[in-house]
Amino acid sequence: MITVVVKVPEQTPEVQIIESVDTLEEIMEGEFELAHDDHLEGISILVNEEVRGIKPHNFTIEADGSHDWVYGTAIFTRLEEGMLKSLTENEIDLIKNYFSKTRAYK
């Protein structure tokens, strides 16, 4: 079980408990890959690139100085030694601030 933040387009981010990879794939509507935002150091973002242009855009990320859209649902988590780990309370607060200040809960 891990604690993550799930951001669905046009909704506020929500903290959720994920119990399995199957649950992740269900939320992501298929396979997912890792992304990151330069403003969220140490936090990984799971995205589904196959929904690009099909699902509504969610928010923008800035990775290595370049901006890009995230489409569909995104999951914020932490990666350690190749394994997904629970977010800490401080990381959850960082993600909430990230959306309230720079992304304005869309």
Side-chain angles (χ1 to χ4, degrees):
M1 252 184 343
I2 61 170
T3 303
V4 301
V5 171
V6 178
K7 174 67 174 80
V8 175
E10 301 179 13
Q11 294 182 22
T12 57
E14 292 188 7
V15 176
Q16 288 189 15
I17 305 295
I18 302 295
E19 297 192 23
S20 70
V21 173
D22 291 337
T23 304
L24 285 174
E25 289 178 348
E26 183 178 310
I27 292 169
M28 297 300 300
E29 299 181 43
E31 293 184 16
F32 51 86
E33 56 190 72
L34 287 174
H36 73 279
D37 188 299
D38 296 341
H39 302 281
L40 295 172
E41 188 174 334
I43 296 173
S44 296
I45 307 168
L46 304 181
V47 298
N48 181 344
E49 282 296 320
E50 292 179 3
V51 300
R52 179 177 287 278
I54 298 169
K55 296 287 181 177
H57 63 267
N58 198 339
F59 58 94
T60 60
I61 57 174
E62 183 180 338
D64 304 320
S66 297
H67 293 272
D68 196 11
W69 281 102
V70 171
Y71 288 84
T73 301
I75 297 177
F76 294 78
T77 187
R78 194 162 37 95
L79 192 65
E80 281 183 15
E81 299 177 8
M83 301 211 33
L84 297 178
K85 298 289 184 175
S86 288
L87 294 169
T88 65
E89 287 299 319
N90 287 342
E91 291 167 330
I92 291 168
D93 289 342
L94 180 65
I95 293 165
K96 288 180 180 179
N97 275 343
Y98 169 81
F99 281 103
S100 66
K101 291 182 180 178
T102 63
R103 303 303 186 270
Y105 289 135
K106 293 183 179 180

